[in-house]
Amino acid sequence: MNDRIDAVFFDLDGTLVHDGAGDAVRQTAHELARRHGLDADAILAANAEVWSGCWAEQGERWMRGELPSDALPREIWRLTLADLGRDDEALLDEAAQLHVRAERGTFTLFAETLAVLEELRSDGIPLGVITNGPAEFQRAKLVTVGIDGLFDVVVASGDIGVLKPASEIFVRALDGLGVAAGRAIHVGDNFAADVVGAADAGMTAVWINRDAVVAPRSDVAHRDIRSLRDVLVEPAQKTGILRG
């Protein structure tokens, strides 16, 4: 093992856990259509129409924890139903509840996630999560997929009101483990938030680039990997991240 690494931090959505938001919306739309004789395609079209506007207005506030964890999805469903002429508080409550239930059911681990985390734990490597999103909402994902007990520290943007890529959220996580930035790595799928943020904080930035796309920036030092397994060992011709 490389003795310069004292801790490994991970992003959550798109890195450890599949992002099932789109599936949750589709499931909710079809269930509302079934229960109330609505057109599922019309619901989905209205939802797509209002989503970007709501996210632009409230997304960052929601992730910083300035709004209740259900506020953003609830507002999206309120506007969706209003566009369909269904300005009904009871129906809105039902849609919001269906969405939360459906979304929890879509939280699934990537195939290699659990094995990699357990192997790191068995090697005695402290682990952490650094994630953008409401604190309660993000921690619920960890519980749902059964990996909450594998981490020594979890820092969500909703905990401190600061989003990745700001260095403050990375520093908070490092301080939580008492680890120096230069002796820690952060693994994430979002180049701007995870790679740039971790590099700016002085950590070794690792980009989980499953689709092998070209990096949007060439001036940010980082490791490029295809699978979380590569956190443990890379092909022999490359320098290993944790093991040679």
Side-chain angles (χ1 to χ4, degrees):
M1 181 178 297
N2 190 329
D3 61 6
R4 70 184 178 85
I5 297 299
D6 288 341
V8 180
F9 296 89
F10 293 91
D11 167 57
L12 182 55
D13 301 297
T15 299
L16 299 175
V17 176
H18 289 278
D19 182 357
D23 288 338
V25 170
R26 284 187 287 275
Q27 290 178 31
T28 302
H30 284 282
E31 184 61 17
L32 287 173
R34 185 188 69 80
R35 292 184 181 188
H36 300 284
L38 300 172
D39 183 334
D41 289 338
I43 298 174
L44 290 170
N47 188 277
E49 183 71 22
V50 303
W51 189 91
S52 58
C54 282
W55 184 261
E57 292 178 4
Q58 298 186 14
E60 289 197 1
R61 293 182 60 210
W62 180 70
M63 290 194 293
R64 285 197 299 263
E66 297 172 6
L67 302 171
S69 60
D70 66 344
L72 183 59
R74 187 177 180 85
E75 178 65 4
I76 291 172
W77 281 109
R78 184 186 72 78
L79 293 174
T80 296
L81 294 170
D83 279 358
L84 298 172
R86 299 296 296 264
D87 191 6
D88 181 324
E89 195 68 19
L91 185 59
L92 172 57
D93 289 341
E94 183 180 358
Q97 291 167 9
L98 285 171
H99 180 92
V100 169
R101 187 184 312 156
E103 191 164 37
R104 286 177 179 166
T106 66
F107 297 152
T108 57
L109 297 173
F110 285 96
E112 75 275 19
T113 296
L114 184 58
V116 169
L117 294 177
E118 289 181 337
E119 195 161 345
L120 289 169
R121 292 292 296 185
S122 71
D123 284 343
I125 299 289
L127 302 179
V129 170
I130 306 174
T131 177
N132 279 348
E136 178 184 357
F137 185 69
Q138 296 301 86
R139 286 182 171 83
K141 294 179 184 179
L142 295 173
V143 173
T144 297
V145 297
I147 59 173
D148 54 305
L150 296 177
F151 297 100
D152 301 286
V153 66
V154 176
V155 179
S157 59
D159 289 318
I160 61 174
V162 175
L163 301 172
K164 294 183 291 184
S167 293
E168 184 177 344
I169 191 170
F170 295 94
V171 171
R172 178 69 66 93
L174 290 163
D175 288 348
L177 291 183
V179 174
R183 298 178 67 90
I185 72 173
H186 175 72
V187 184
D189 71 305
N190 186 299
F191 195 93
D194 294 303
V195 176
V196 175
D200 284 348
M203 304 169 75
T204 296
V206 179
W207 187 27
I208 177 70
N209 179 15
R210 291 185 174 92
D211 296 327
V213 300
V214 176
R217 288 177 55 179
S218 60
D219 62 328
V220 181
H222 69 282
R223 304 287 183 86
D224 188 313
I225 63 175
R226 301 289 176 266
S227 164
L228 293 176
R229 294 293 311 177
D230 296 332
V231 173
L232 302 175
V233 59
E234 290 188 330
Q237 68 269 23
K238 297 183 180 180
T239 302
I241 295 177
L242 291 181
R243 302 174 185 165

